[in-house]
Amino acid sequence: MRPPTVLVTGGQGYLGSVLAPLLAKHGADVTVVDDESITRERQERPGITYITGDIREPRDWASRLTGIDAVVHLAAIVGDPACDLAGDLARDTNYLGTIRLAEASKRAGVGQFVFASTCSTYGAAGDAPVGVDSPVEPRSLYAETKVFAEHYLLSHAGDGPRPSILRFATLHGLSPRMRFDLAVNTMTARAAADGRFMVHGGDQWRPFLHVRAAAEAVRMVLGTTVPSLVYNCGSNAENYRIATLGELIHAEVPDAEVDVVEAARDPRNYRVDFDPIETDLGFAPRLRVLDSIRDIAAAVRSGRYADHASARYNNYLLMVERTARQPVAR
Ligand SMILES: NC(=O)c1ccc[n+]([C@@H]2O[C@H](COP(=O)([O-])OP(=O)(O)OC[C@H]3O[C@@H](n4cnc5c(N)ncnc54)[C@H](O)[C@@H]3O)[C@@H](O)[C@H]2O)c1
């Protein structure tokens, strides 16, 4: 039997650079497509085919979709601040780009289309857990583009590749393409490197998921026919109030000072029910927030991320550089 063929868009990114090698290790024939817009140096792993390509222009590399069993679509302008800075690019990439890629996948006869969505689509849902049937209330352009893309994929289900939508919790942990603009990663790096970190607000709920567990969830969903087309991807035990996250970090880095500041600009507050993905897929991640806090604190203390505040690890600062270099709207 031939190995499954998987094309991963955004495979040079934070999640993609963990996922692509994981799939290859499990025997998949993996092709990565990335426009390398946020990559300072291309990272290549043996056994994986890398293509520089823009998902907004799939015609340029559509021949690579022939014979692909599943597309895992991660490429996006990721995060509220980066999307707010380059709104037209965010809409063109996250929404229209997804439509163009889904249509190209359909023409090529791709069987499955795994889409990386986000739990931040629930917006300011409050303290009670929300499930996939709860209303989505995007509070940012980023979340809105993901809701629109989901809607397109679901309304075209049955007329092209089978969609599998994973609404990921906020990711954390070490990755070959590190991000220090994600709550656990940033707060821990600052605590370990600078001896102080900020807690924005405190009462608001947020679910978290280790980046390696997120990659594992994608691997589990590939090639399976699960009852639902949409899953929240995370675990119930990893819903935290931001204040609790601050306490966990402080317990690991006790010398660090904590500055509690108002979260005036970010109204998001959502606590998520992850039972269905555990019941249907057996997804029960062992790696937890505490593992990432320890890993990141150790990596920073070893001197590995002396430049943790650099733009290279921050999607918003990279977008500031990118928009200064070239016009982003087309
Ligand atoms: N990191 C999180 O906490 C999180 C949470 C929920 C959902 N997600 C979703 O998971 C996916 C991956 O997130 P990430 O954290 O790895 O982000 P990332 O920013 O590290 O990676 C995104 C990748 O997409 C590539 N890309 C951007 N525009 C492209 C284009 N037009 N054509 C081709 N490639 C392009 C970038 O070069 C980058 O390598 C995204 O879709 C994101 O919305 C992430």
Side-chain angles (χ1 to χ4, degrees):
M1 208 171 75
R2 72 170 175 81
T5 49
V6 184
L7 185 139
V8 181
T9 72
Q12 294 276 356
Y14 177 67
L15 173 55
S17 61
V18 173
L19 174 66
L22 179 81
L23 298 179
K25 191 176 117 196
H26 281 84
D29 182 345
V30 181
T31 300
V32 161
V33 175
D34 199 300
D35 71 352
E36 296 168 16
S37 48
I38 63 159
T39 318
R40 289 283 165 90
E41 62 286 322
R42 187 194 247 212
Q43 312 209 19
E44 295 205 357
R45 295 293 193 91
I48 296 174
T49 304
Y50 291 88
I51 299 167
T52 305
D54 189 332
I55 56 117
R56 294 173 297 161
E57 303 291 352
R59 266 176 305 185
D60 294 350
W61 47 272
S63 61
R64 304 296 192 137
L65 285 164
T66 307
I68 292 291
D69 297 318
V71 166
V72 180
H73 181 34
L74 307 181
I77 306 302
V78 183
D80 294 356
C83 287
D84 290 344
L85 191 60
D88 288 348
L89 178 68
R91 287 183 201 92
D92 202 23
T93 307
N94 299 4
Y95 178 48
L96 299 177
T98 299
I99 293 176
R100 284 183 217 135
L101 181 66
E103 285 174 350
S105 302
K106 177 181 162 184
R107 284 193 294 276
V110 171
Q112 187 178 13
F113 193 93
V114 181
F115 178 63
S117 188
T118 167
C119 285
S120 71
T121 49
Y122 297 115
D127 293 350
V130 284
V132 285
D133 295 330
S134 305
V136 288
E137 279 180 48
R139 290 300 182 105
S140 66
L141 173 61
Y142 169 60
E144 197 176 271
T145 60
K146 292 289 183 174
V147 169
F148 287 170
E150 278 192 10
H151 183 73
Y152 174 86
L153 294 171
L154 292 174
S155 57
H156 289 77
D159 172 33
R162 180 164 46 85
S164 301
I165 295 171
L166 295 175
R167 289 181 185 158
F168 290 113
T170 301
L171 303 183
H172 57 81
L174 293 171
S175 156
R177 189 266 143 167
M178 198 49 194
R179 283 184 62 188
F180 285 114
D181 56 359
L182 295 165
V184 174
N185 300 1
T186 319
M187 290 160 77
T188 308
R190 287 191 180 153
D194 310 339
R196 70 187 312 149
F197 66 100
M198 276 192 278
V199 171
H200 291 268
D203 285 346
Q204 70 276 39
W205 285 95
R206 205 59 66 74
F208 292 98
L209 177 66
H210 198 288
V211 65
R212 279 175 15 221
E216 190 56 33
V218 173
R219 191 185 75 76
M220 290 169 88
V221 89
L222 280 171
T224 56
T225 311
V226 278
S228 180
L229 298 181
V230 187
Y231 284 95
N232 292 326
C233 188
S235 65
N236 291 345
E238 294 276 273
N239 280 297
Y240 293 99
R241 287 190 192 273
I242 295 298
T244 311
L245 181 60
E247 285 161 19
L248 289 174
I249 293 170
H250 197 243
E252 286 304 308
V253 193
D255 293 343
E257 286 182 37
V258 187
D259 299 320
V260 179
V261 293
E262 244 186 277
R265 280 186 306 160
D266 189 348
R268 289 177 301 162
N269 174 29
Y270 47 97
R271 184 181 180 186
V272 177
D273 171 18
F274 295 105
D275 278 343
I277 195 165
E278 181 167 4
T279 307
D280 293 354
L281 274 175
F283 179 66
R286 279 180 305 106
L287 289 166
R288 302 194 57 172
V289 158
L290 205 48
D291 295 294
S292 290
I293 294 173
R294 288 180 180 146
D295 289 350
I296 291 167
V300 168
R301 285 188 189 115
S302 76
R304 190 161 144 207
Y305 292 110
D307 60 344
H308 70 90
S310 137
R312 66 188 296 171
Y313 304 121
N314 183 310
N315 281 359
Y316 169 74
L317 295 177
L318 282 166
M319 189 59 79
V320 169
E321 287 183 359
R322 190 174 167 188
T323 48
R325 267 203 324 264
Q326 62 186 36
V328 291
R330 294 183 325 144

